[in-house]
Amino acid sequence: MSMNLLTNKTLGLVLAGFSLSVLNLANVSAQNPVETNQPSADYKPAFEGQTRIAGVKTSTPLEISILNEKLDRPWAISVLPAGGFLITQKGGTMVVLTANGKLSKTITGLPKVDDSGQGGLLDVTLDPNFAKNRMVYWAYSEPQDKGVLLAIAKGKLSADETKIENQTIIYRATPSYGGKLQYGSRIVFDKNGNLFVSTGERSGGDIRIQAQYLNSSLGKILHLTTDGKAVANGPFAKNADAKPEIYAYGLRNPDGLAINPLTGDLWEAEFGPKGGDEVNIIKPGKNYGWPIITYGTEYSGKKVGDGVQQKDGMEQPVYFWNPSISPGCIAFYNSSSIPEWKGNLFVGGLGGSHIIRLVIKNDKIVGEERLLEGKGERFRDMVEKDGALYSVTDNGKLFKIAKK
């Protein structure tokens, strides 16, 4: 397959086909909102349609199949040029699968990971020129003398697909921390061949405020070169007290990151605390508010901070969920195979145990659907290939969702 089908992993998805159907709203029939449970907090949205939008239902008959159910805690999936898949496994290995999901190769010899809690071998993505240079970029939780941090590394996938050669750590998200939660860690290439990297704020009440600190890597979207340096002329490049690689800040645990192929905008999804899971459009230099504003509460039910949901100088989410669905990943659908899905955003739910389809119009959510409910799966990562969605789950399965 061509590299422009790596969907949420690269910006290689060009704008071709935009005129065919941005939304296909003619095929969208509004229903009652899909969320019927009571929210964990009675917070009012900032604008109409920010949460619990009308439900929609896919009219195209779908075929759901399981291609593999023996993966070992898969965390991320990328599509190889020949049509197979490169998948990270939380314990510290990568595997190569054939296009039909069969195990082909296992890659060991990667850096040591701390796979306790939410750590381990995390995201993986391919260089836009992978077909020529075979470069792979991945994220993992790296043990330190004191604590653990998120590290970004790169290396060359060998011709026989059995090892990663010339491994190099290009970035460490500091400071390290003793907790084992909320690393974030999605990696997306921009149109210029640089990296957007999401970092979590590491969860602890003693450290999460660093999401607001411009001298900390935590709770951020970073903009890095392939050597791990700050991309020139970033929004904080002239601020002597800020890390120049910071692109946006005030994020909690951004496990979803993707570029909208129809607009070129960077979209992000993150976990709220108890409720308040968000989808945001990431703009340079903007503050997304955590932990100052949120539509969620502490797990105890108490307010987060002052219990504020809106504040001048802080961005509102495009959409939020309350109660939580735990968004583990996002992917845009950019195929005409299922026309009504063209331009839609798909969100993998962990705690929600389903895949969410969001219909977008003018950067607003206008419809929501839940797919694969009742499967009991935590959908960890997702890609589109040849008009089908592929998703790996915490239970070790690889799902394919395609037109029947």
Side-chain angles (χ1 to χ4, degrees), residues 17 34 57 91 101 110 113 139 141 155 161 179 187 237 246 254 306 324 336 354-355 372-373 376 382 394:
V34 295
K57 185 173 178 59
L110 295 164
V113 305
S141 52
E161 298 182 335
I187 306 170
I246 294 174
D306 294 331
S324 294
S336 297
H354 55 265
I355 292 174
L372 277 70
E373 286 189 289
M382 199 168 13
D394 285 358

Side-chain angles (χ1 to χ4, degrees), residues 105-138:
K105 301 288 175 60
T106 298
I107 300 168
T108 58
L110 295 164
K112 180 180 179 180
V113 305
D114 183 334
D115 69 342
S116 57
Q118 294 173 354
L121 186 58
L122 305 174
D123 201 25
V124 64
T125 191
L126 309 182
D127 190 287
N129 294 316
F130 176 86
K132 293 182 178 179
N133 63 27
R134 301 190 64 79
M135 292 300 294
V136 177
Y137 295 76
W138 70 94

Side-chain angles (χ1 to χ4, degrees), residues 67-68 70-71 80 82-87 89 94-108 134 157-163 398:
L67 302 186
N68 192 308
K70 296 182 179 180
L71 299 172
L80 292 164
F85 304 96
L86 179 64
I87 294 174
Q89 300 185 131
M94 296 183 191
V95 292
V96 176
L97 303 186
T98 64
N100 61 5
K102 303 299 182 183
L103 178 65
S104 174
K105 301 288 175 60
T106 298
I107 300 168
T108 58
R134 301 190 64 79
L157 180 62
S158 62
D160 63 2
E161 298 182 335
T162 63
K163 57 183 175 293
L398 172 61

Side-chain angles (χ1 to χ4, degrees), residues 288-343:
Y288 291 82
W290 177 258
I292 308 301
I293 62 172
T294 177
Y295 286 95
T297 65
E298 302 285 7
Y299 294 113
S300 66
K302 294 182 179 180
K303 295 178 179 179
V304 174
D306 294 331
V308 176
Q309 292 75 57
Q310 302 174 41
K311 189 176 180 66
D312 289 345
M314 296 183 178
E315 300 301 302
Q316 282 292 305
V318 172
Y319 198 70
F320 72 86
W321 292 272
N322 199 332
S324 294
I325 54 95
S326 305
C329 61
I330 59 175
F332 281 95
Y333 188 85
N334 194 43
S335 171
S336 297
S337 178
I338 305 176
E340 60 194 299
W341 283 9
K342 182 86 169 183

Side-chain angles (χ1 to χ4, degrees), residues 374-391:
K375 301 291 185 181
E377 300 288 345
R378 291 166 57 88
F379 296 94
R380 180 63 65 174
D381 197 18
M382 199 168 13
V383 291
E384 177 211 323
K385 179 174 82 79
D386 299 338
L389 288 175
Y390 295 80
S391 180

Side-chain angles (χ1 to χ4, degrees), residues 168-403:
T168 305
I169 296 174
I170 63 171
Y171 190 85
R172 290 181 169 94
T174 56
S176 61
Y177 182 64
K180 304 299 178 70
L181 302 176
Q182 296 182 189
Y183 294 92
S185 91
R186 293 295 177 188
I187 306 170
V188 173
F189 273 93
D190 72 10
K191 63 183 180 181
N192 297 316
N194 295 311
L195 307 173
F196 286 116
V197 174
S198 68
T199 68
E201 41 71 283
R202 304 301 306 280
S203 179
D206 58 338
I207 197 169
R208 65 187 183 187
I209 190 61
Q210 290 201 20
Q212 290 291 315
Y213 295 174
L214 294 178
N215 62 355
S216 168
S217 301
L218 306 183
K220 307 296 191 298
I221 302 297
L222 309 174
H223 204 190
L224 305 172
T225 69
T226 53
D227 292 325
K229 306 300 183 183
V231 172
N233 302 314
F236 301 105
K238 295 181 180 180
N239 184 338
D241 298 322
K243 287 181 175 289
E245 64 268 25
I246 294 174
Y247 187 80
Y249 65 111
L251 306 171
R252 188 173 183 266
N253 189 31
D255 269 12
L257 199 64
I259 291 174
N260 186 334
L262 300 181
T263 66
D265 288 332
L266 181 66
W267 287 61
E268 173 260 3
E270 66 182 83
F271 295 76
K274 185 179 181 181
D277 296 340
E278 297 182 2
V279 171
N280 294 288
I281 300 177
I282 300 297
K283 299 295 185 181
K286 297 298 184 180
N287 180 357
Y288 291 82
W290 177 258
I292 308 301
I293 62 172
T294 177
Y295 286 95
T297 65
E298 302 285 7
Y299 294 113
S300 66
K302 294 182 179 180
K303 295 178 179 179
V304 174
D306 294 331
V308 176
Q309 292 75 57
Q310 302 174 41
K311 189 176 180 66
D312 289 345
M314 296 183 178
E315 300 301 302
Q316 282 292 305
V318 172
Y319 198 70
F320 72 86
W321 292 272
N322 199 332
S324 294
I325 54 95
S326 305
C329 61
I330 59 175
F332 281 95
Y333 188 85
N334 194 43
S335 171
S336 297
S337 178
I338 305 176
E340 60 194 299
W341 283 9
K342 182 86 169 183
N344 290 181
L345 180 67
F346 289 79
V347 182
L350 297 174
S353 298
H354 55 265
I355 292 174
I356 289 176
R357 169 191 169 215
L358 295 177
V359 183
I360 303 167
K361 180 180 181 182
N362 298 327
D363 291 339
K364 301 294 183 185
I365 306 304
V366 298
E368 179 176 3
E369 181 178 14
R370 291 184 174 180
L371 303 168
L372 277 70
E373 286 189 289
K375 301 291 185 181
E377 300 288 345
R378 291 166 57 88
F379 296 94
R380 180 63 65 174
D381 197 18
M382 199 168 13
V383 291
E384 177 211 323
K385 179 174 82 79
D386 299 338
L389 288 175
Y390 295 80
S391 180
V392 291
T393 74
D394 285 358
N395 285 337
K397 296 176 182 176
L398 172 61
F399 278 83
K400 179 182 179 181
I401 308 165
K403 181 179 179 179

